[in-house]
């Protein structure tokens, strides 16, 4: 994370970074890149660590001196424009809800990211912040996803699909069918109806809406499948003497394919619904993947995305108009 921060600073000369964490671990990682001078970053010591075994409620009560808590407190006090963390997702969401303002017209914030597809990529939410969602919450996720797709992904009028067990109107639970009725009148994108799991990767859908339990399961399955596919190619297709020859002949195409399905390329899940930019990186992210999460945060900061989302959400009361 520290080296990724320095790499991103190198690409953005006006960027100033607070490195919040164990000073004894951070300070030895001095930047070796040009133009990364001491006046462009500051190390802030946080003696506590939120571990993956901590419950979010436990972390809230006993770990106010953790890097998560301190960074979000700074963000709330306008001592920064955005935050990136690779820590415990549940605890990060809990600290964010305690420290930051949430749009008053929404019931719950959401976690959103993009997944690779045959048509480029598909934005999906929620990815784990809310295990159980009612129809109104799913509708709000659709609006937040559409605004993200427009402001961050560059879609003028994004298509929105609601994940279901089938595409027929009589399929799914009552709350999913009610959410579909609400999304049919969404003015911020084109609702295309119910979509199934394969549509996330094979159909031209810009935004897919679901609850956090389903979304997180889909995300983890997609990550596992990409790693399995890469291992399968390495062990079966490129094995032996013929495989080495084939690897040599196909090297450029294999690199391109690996890059397209690499989850690290899409690293950086957004916490949507707050008044500040918060981006969650994979805990196992390498330097390049962590840098991608930071670039995602910068894109949202420069686009003033939280305020734009709030402006749309505040018009949910039935007086919507495109901004």
């Amino acid at each position: 994370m520290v080296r990724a921060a320095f790499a991103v600073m190198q690409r953005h000369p006006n960027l100033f970074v607070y490195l919040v964490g164990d000073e004894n671990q951070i300070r030895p990682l001095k930047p070796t890149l040009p133009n990364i001078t001491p006046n462009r970053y500051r190390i802030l010591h946080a003696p506590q660590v939120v571990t993956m075994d901590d419950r979010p409620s436990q972390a809230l009560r006993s770990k106010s001196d953790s890097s998560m808590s301190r960074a979000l407190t700074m963000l709330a006090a306008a001592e920064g424009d955005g935050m990136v963390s690779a820590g415990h997702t549940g605890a990060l969401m809990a600290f964010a809800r305690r420290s930051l303002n949430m749009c008053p017209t929404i019931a719950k914030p959401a976690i959103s990211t993009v997944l690779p597809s045959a048509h480029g990529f598909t934005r999906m939410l929620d990815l784990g912040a809310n295990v159980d969602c009612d129809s109104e919450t799913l509708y709000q996720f659709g609006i937040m996803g559409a605004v993200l797709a427009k402001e961050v992904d560059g879609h003028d009028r994004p298509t929105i699909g609601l994940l279901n067990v089938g595409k027929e109107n009589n399929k799914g639970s009552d709350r999913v069918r009610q959410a579909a009725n609400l999304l049919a009148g969404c003015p911020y994108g084109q609702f295309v109806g119910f979509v199934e799991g394969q549509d996330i990767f094979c159909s031209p859908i810009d935004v897919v809406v679901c609850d956090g339990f389903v979304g997180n399961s889909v995300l983890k399955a997609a990550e596992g499948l990409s790693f399995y596919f890469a291992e399968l190619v390495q062990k079966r297709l490129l094995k032996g003497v013929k495989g080495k020859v084939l690897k040599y002949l196909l090297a450029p195409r294999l690199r391109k394919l690996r890059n397209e399905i690499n989850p690290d390329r899409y690293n950086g899940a957004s916490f949507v619904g707050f008044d500040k930019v918060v981006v969650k990186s994979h805990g196992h992210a390498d330097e390049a993947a962590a840098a991608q999460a930071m670039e995602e945060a910068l894109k949202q900061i420069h686009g003033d995305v939280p305020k734009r989302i709030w402006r749309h959400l505040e018009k949910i009361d039935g007086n919507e108009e495109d901004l």
Side-chain angles (χ1 to χ4, degrees):
M1 291 294 286
V2 175
R3 293 191 177 97
F6 291 144
V8 174
M9 289 167 65
Q10 179 69 17
R11 296 197 289 264
H12 301 274
N14 295 323
L15 177 62
F16 181 90
V17 172
Y18 291 100
L19 302 170
V20 187
D22 186 344
E23 185 175 6
N24 295 325
Q25 294 187 43
I26 297 173
R27 192 164 294 283
L29 301 173
K30 295 180 179 179
T32 57
L33 297 169
N35 303 323
I36 310 300
T37 54
N39 65 332
R40 293 197 56 202
Y41 67 94
R42 182 181 174 190
I43 299 173
L44 299 175
H45 182 58
Q48 291 184 306
V49 176
V50 177
T51 71
M52 293 301 175
D53 295 325
D54 287 334
R55 293 183 177 180
S57 57
Q58 174 190 357
L60 279 175
R61 290 194 301 269
S62 62
K63 296 197 171 179
S64 59
D65 283 334
S66 64
S67 56
M68 276 186 191
S69 178
R70 290 197 168 186
L72 282 165
T73 299
M74 293 173 61
L75 190 60
E79 294 181 49
D81 298 303
M83 174 198 176
V84 178
S85 172
H88 190 307
T89 305
L92 182 63
M93 178 60 76
F95 279 119
R97 296 192 71 163
R98 184 177 73 176
S99 301
L100 304 179
N101 295 319
M102 195 169 72
C103 183
T105 60
I106 67 168
K108 300 174 181 179
I111 302 176
S112 174
T113 194
V114 296
L115 298 175
S117 76
H119 301 271
F121 55 84
T122 300
R123 180 167 292 278
M124 192 171 181
L125 70 169
D126 178 31
L127 296 178
N130 310 283
V131 174
D132 190 22
C133 303
D134 59 22
S135 58
E136 181 69 22
T137 300
L138 291 172
Y139 170 56
Q140 293 172 0
F141 289 170
I143 292 177
M144 291 191 286
V147 176
L148 276 172
K150 180 178 180 180
E151 303 296 345
V152 176
D153 305 331
H155 300 294
D156 290 334
R157 187 165 178 78
T159 53
I160 306 168
L162 183 59
L163 195 61
N164 200 0
V165 295
K167 296 184 179 181
E168 297 82 2
N169 292 332
N170 62 340
K171 291 292 183 67
S173 63
D174 289 341
R175 63 184 177 85
V176 171
R177 293 197 300 270
Q178 291 168 6
N181 292 332
L182 293 171
L183 284 167
C186 176
Y188 306 111
Q190 178 186 354
F191 181 58
V192 298
F194 294 135
V195 296
E196 298 177 279
Q198 68 269 20
D199 294 314
I200 299 171
F201 307 98
C202 301
S203 300
I205 306 295
D206 299 321
V207 179
V208 171
V209 178
C210 60
D211 64 44
F213 182 89
V214 172
N216 190 266
S217 300
V218 170
L219 177 65
K220 297 298 173 60
E223 291 173 353
L225 182 61
S226 68
F227 286 119
Y228 168 70
F229 179 73
E231 186 174 345
L232 196 64
V233 170
Q234 187 67 35
K235 289 185 175 180
R236 302 285 179 85
L237 185 63
L238 306 180
K239 186 178 180 181
V241 177
K242 292 182 178 179
K244 290 181 180 179
V245 174
L246 187 62
K247 183 177 181 180
Y248 174 78
L249 295 174
L250 297 178
R253 294 189 178 185
L254 287 172
R255 282 194 297 269
K256 184 178 180 181
L257 177 62
R258 183 171 60 244
N259 184 52
E260 287 183 3
I261 66 172
N262 184 3
D264 291 346
R265 180 186 176 193
Y266 304 92
N267 185 38
S270 308
F271 281 23
V272 193
F274 295 109
D275 62 341
K276 301 287 185 178
V277 173
V278 179
V279 172
K280 171 67 174 65
S281 167
H282 289 303
H284 61 264
D286 60 13
E287 181 180 323
Q292 172 58 35
M294 296 173 194
E295 292 284 1
E296 175 68 20
L298 282 172
K299 187 188 301 183
Q300 294 190 33
I301 291 168
H302 292 151
D304 204 12
V305 172
K307 286 186 179 180
R308 291 177 181 271
I309 291 175
W310 274 41
R311 288 168 60 195
H312 288 280
L313 291 174
E314 287 171 349
K315 295 180 177 294
I316 290 180
D317 57 5
N319 299 315
E320 295 99 334
E321 60 183 51
D322 279 326
L323 298 178

